[in-house]
Amino acid sequence: MSNADITKEEILAVFPKVAATMADALGCDVEKVKLDSSLIDDLGAESIDFLDIVFRLERAFKVKIPRGKIVEEARGDLSESEFDQGGVVSAAGFERLKAYLNEVPAERFKSPLKVADIPRLFTVETFCKMVIRQQRAAAAAAGGGAAPA
Amino acid sequence: MPGMEAHFRAFSLVDRITRLEAGGRVEGRYHVPEHLAAFPASLVAEAVGQLAAWAAMAVLAFRRRPVAGLAAGIDLLAPVRPGQTLELAAELESLDEEAVAYSGVALVNARPVVRLEHCVGPVLPVEDFDDPAALRQRLALLQADGARPGGFDGVPAPDLTGWDGEAGRVRRAMLHVPTEAVFFADHFPRRPVYPGTLLMHANLEVAAALTRELPRPVGGQGWTARRVSDVKLRAFTPPGEVLELQAAVEKLDAQAADTLVETRKGTRVISRARVRFVPEAGA
């Protein structure tokens, strides 16, 4: 499933609830949560916060978000060994990641990139898109159209 | 096996596992030793968490184990006294190589005393914390004859000093995590970590001190902790750490006193939770 066909309107529709959920999880003011905020660098998220955010988003949007989904989907048809070697993202993987995380400013992508550092790239918009993809997947599985935010 | 006995006697709060469905429900029991002075609710929650951890480790073939992380809610429904037997149950909601999510309950005489709602624990390599073979052997014992009850000698009261704050608004204290304590032999043998439930207990002590400064509720002798929610543990606490604990009133009315408790190491927030106090019955 691609990120490219997700519209700005769809993103803005889910953003308020995503922002409120993140503010709750991170114990910060919702005004601090911007669409382009980096979760780690701007909002101070740590690894446990990612788990917290995913579970809160699941409950807020009533979708199932498999952990590790972002990296798995970014990898696409690349095998794990094509995507990274020894924990470092390969050149092909790097390009795939840049295309998939197209909401992340290009200057934030630094090569070499460790797989463990991929979450440093994630912005609030990354999670908005993840929610939208899961809503679409749930709607498709149910045989209906797009789910409301 | 004396070494194994000392290991698990230190902080293991499940005596017997009576039902273990792979990735599903797990049930067990724990007899609270008669010789203990008290058995706080945080240890009851620990017992439920340990039961869920056994179930998770069994599914993950003892390659990985959960550690404390998040809890949506922990209801503190009734006190538990030494000599009582906890009937424990947990339901794994999800489990993978990264995290386990579960809910659970502890009952005494068929009455719920502590209920855990949607807890999430990160899942980490067992070998970093403990001997996988010893854990495997222990689970076999728990599922067969069960462990001999009564070995646990309790935990020291939290060492809280340097109390300050503003009466009835915010209360702070420094928690001195012991450098050495018996429970570190079990939590964990290869990487001693101050248990999250003991940190929660210390936080509850600070919050309780704060509520003693609040106006007495109508129809109650005082305030008693009823629910801990939005619990998040963000870091491991090693032995000997000194942490700043703070409890602040968020909302106060005749029915409830809502507090926010936080633990900090310097500027870093180590843990955070909300604690709801309600009027204590028996006026």
Side-chain angles (χ1 to χ4, degrees), chain A residues 35-92:
Chain A
L35 207 50
D36 62 351
S37 302
S38 157
L39 264 75
I40 292 177
D41 295 332
D42 298 330
L43 300 177
E46 300 185 29
S47 57
I48 189 72
D49 296 314
F50 282 92
L51 270 184
D52 191 13
I53 287 166
V54 165
F55 276 100
R56 285 172 187 260
L57 289 174
E58 285 186 336
R59 281 189 286 172
F61 288 94
K62 298 185 171 44
V63 292
K64 188 76 194 146
I65 303 174
R67 283 174 293 281
K69 191 79 176 172
I70 292 178
V71 174
E72 186 188 313
E73 288 191 347
R75 208 175 64 205
D77 57 3
L78 291 180
S79 68
E80 282 187 42
S81 60
E82 287 171 326
F83 185 77
D84 76 89
Q85 282 110 36
V88 177
V89 178
S90 67

Side-chain angles (χ1 to χ4, degrees), chain A residues 24-28 43-53 55-56 58-59 64 66-69, chain B residues 68-70 72 94-96 98-101 117-118 120-122 230 232-235 268-269 272 274:
Chain A
D24 277 349
L26 298 170
C28 67
L43 300 177
E46 300 185 29
S47 57
I48 189 72
D49 296 314
F50 282 92
L51 270 184
D52 191 13
I53 287 166
F55 276 100
R56 285 172 187 260
E58 285 186 336
R59 281 189 286 172
K64 188 76 194 146
R67 283 174 293 281
K69 191 79 176 172
Chain B
L70 311 167
S94 67
L95 173 64
D96 58 30
E98 278 190 62
V100 61
E117 171 201 336
H118 194 64
V120 179
D230 295 331
K232 185 187 293 190
L233 275 170
R234 303 179 88 205
R268 187 181 182 199
V269 176
R272 179 180 280 141
R274 293 193 156 79

Side-chain angles (χ1 to χ4, degrees), chain B residues 195-213:
Chain B
T197 45
L198 297 190
L199 185 56
M200 181 176 91
H201 179 61
N203 276 302
L204 284 171
E205 294 267 302
V206 176
L210 175 65
T211 62
R212 286 194 287 274
E213 300 166 348

Side-chain angles (χ1 to χ4, degrees), chain B residues 84-103:
Chain B
Q84 292 183 318
T85 296
L86 302 176
E87 298 292 337
L88 307 167
E91 196 82 44
L92 301 194
E93 297 165 358
S94 67
L95 173 64
D96 58 30
E97 298 281 322
E98 278 190 62
V100 61
Y102 66 92
S103 295

Side-chain angles (χ1 to χ4, degrees), chain B residues 176-245:
Chain B
H176 301 262
V177 174
T179 306
E180 291 181 11
V182 171
F183 58 76
F184 285 130
D186 194 12
H187 198 281
F188 300 94
R190 291 182 182 173
R191 184 179 178 184
V193 170
Y194 192 59
T197 45
L198 297 190
L199 185 56
M200 181 176 91
H201 179 61
N203 276 302
L204 284 171
E205 294 267 302
V206 176
L210 175 65
T211 62
R212 286 194 287 274
E213 300 166 348
L214 298 176
R216 210 165 109 167
V218 178
Q221 287 184 322
W223 298 95
T224 186
R226 172 66 176 74
R227 179 172 168 85
V228 186
S229 59
D230 295 331
V231 181
K232 185 187 293 190
L233 275 170
R234 303 179 88 205
F236 288 124
T237 298
E241 199 85 280
V242 180
L243 303 168
E244 182 185 327
L245 274 51

